[in-house]
Amino acid sequence: MHFCLRDYPAYLFDLDGTLVDSAPDIHAALNFTLSNSGHPTVEPAQTRDFVGMGSRALLRRALDHHGRQDVDHEPMLDTFLDYYERNIAVHSRPFPQTVETLAALHERGKGLAVVTNKYDRLTRRVLDELALSPYFSSIVCSDTVPHSKPAADPALVACAALGVAPNDALFVGDASPDVGCARAAGCDVVVVRDGYNNGIPAEDLGADAVINSLADILLNSHA
């Protein structure tokens, strides 16, 4: 893969698995919901693989994993969202180097946005709880755009809010919806190696490059 990170005016970040290790709290909410509804629970590693396409898809994939394709997951959604919102940052933490990287980019005057398939109210709450909100000028969520990732809409809305063309923004994610969104919008895209990548090796996600931590993008981001 021949790709050199350059200095970008703007950076778009996925949330779960990229900025924040939120899987433990998502896992607790998922298993509470499954158990409360009379279904088998899942293992933490499975939850990590199921994250990325929103709450409905998370529930659907957990049920499908146990061969319960005929079960309607919609009645379970409110239970999941209520439990998760009340316990959204019990164990969730920013990944190593996240805060330092965001602070450095912010200090250098870069435009920063969160682009996630999480709901807006949940996104804002977890960012507030983890003191990450001040770094971002734009927050784009699955329920604030017509089409969520992997469609282009979230990245295009974020770029417009930051006042940059898509080719002047680097999308930083961890899974195929991030790569698909970036490609559709015309953004360069990198993925972090140890995110929530649906069981797909990071090198196989089709990004321009794989990074080991967010700090890697600072090497070519100058004031």
Side-chain angles (χ1 to χ4, degrees):
M1 183 180 298
H2 302 289
F3 177 77
C4 293
L5 283 172
R6 62 180 175 86
D7 185 27
Y8 295 84
Y11 294 80
L12 316 181
F13 293 93
D14 170 57
L15 181 61
D16 300 310
T18 301
L19 292 173
V20 176
D21 186 8
S22 52
D25 291 325
I26 295 173
H27 178 69
L30 176 60
N31 274 352
F32 174 85
T33 303
L34 291 169
S35 179
N36 188 65
S37 302
H39 302 294
T41 57
V42 297
E43 296 299 317
Q46 292 164 341
T47 297
R48 289 173 62 93
D49 286 345
F50 298 159
V51 170
M53 293 298 291
S55 301
R56 283 183 171 85
L58 175 71
L59 290 167
R60 181 71 270 155
R61 294 185 71 180
L63 290 168
D64 289 351
H65 173 74
H66 289 297
R68 304 197 172 193
Q69 288 85 356
D70 58 333
V71 173
D72 182 8
H73 63 281
E74 282 294 326
M76 303 165 62
L77 185 62
D78 286 343
T79 300
F80 172 81
L81 293 174
D82 177 68
Y83 185 98
Y84 181 52
E85 188 167 10
R86 288 185 289 106
N87 300 276
I88 203 163
V90 176
H91 301 291
S92 296
R93 298 291 183 270
F95 282 107
Q97 304 302 312
T98 292
V99 174
E100 295 86 345
T101 300
L102 294 176
L105 292 172
H106 190 264
E107 184 177 338
R108 297 173 189 181
K110 307 301 181 182
L112 305 181
V114 170
V115 178
T116 177
N117 278 344
K118 220 179 189 73
Y119 289 149
D120 182 78
R121 75 177 190 273
L122 300 178
T123 298
R124 293 181 184 276
R125 180 156 186 181
V126 73
L127 290 173
D128 286 345
E129 291 280 347
L130 299 179
L132 298 178
S133 297
Y135 297 113
F136 297 103
S137 302
S138 176
I139 298 173
V140 183
C141 304
S142 63
D143 54 343
T144 60
V145 289
H147 304 286
S148 57
K149 296 182 295 184
D153 303 40
L156 294 176
V157 168
C159 288
L162 297 177
V164 299
N167 62 3
D168 280 330
L170 178 68
F171 200 119
V172 185
D174 69 319
S176 58
D178 304 315
V179 176
C181 176
R183 291 282 182 243
C187 302
D188 288 345
V189 55
V190 299
V191 292
V192 290
R193 186 175 302 281
D194 296 319
Y196 308 158
N197 54 13
N198 299 289
I200 303 171
E203 289 80 4
D204 294 341
L205 291 171
D208 293 307
V210 176
I211 59 176
N212 294 314
S213 81
L214 295 192
D216 289 348
I217 66 178
L218 292 177
L219 300 177
N220 293 283
S221 176
H222 307 291

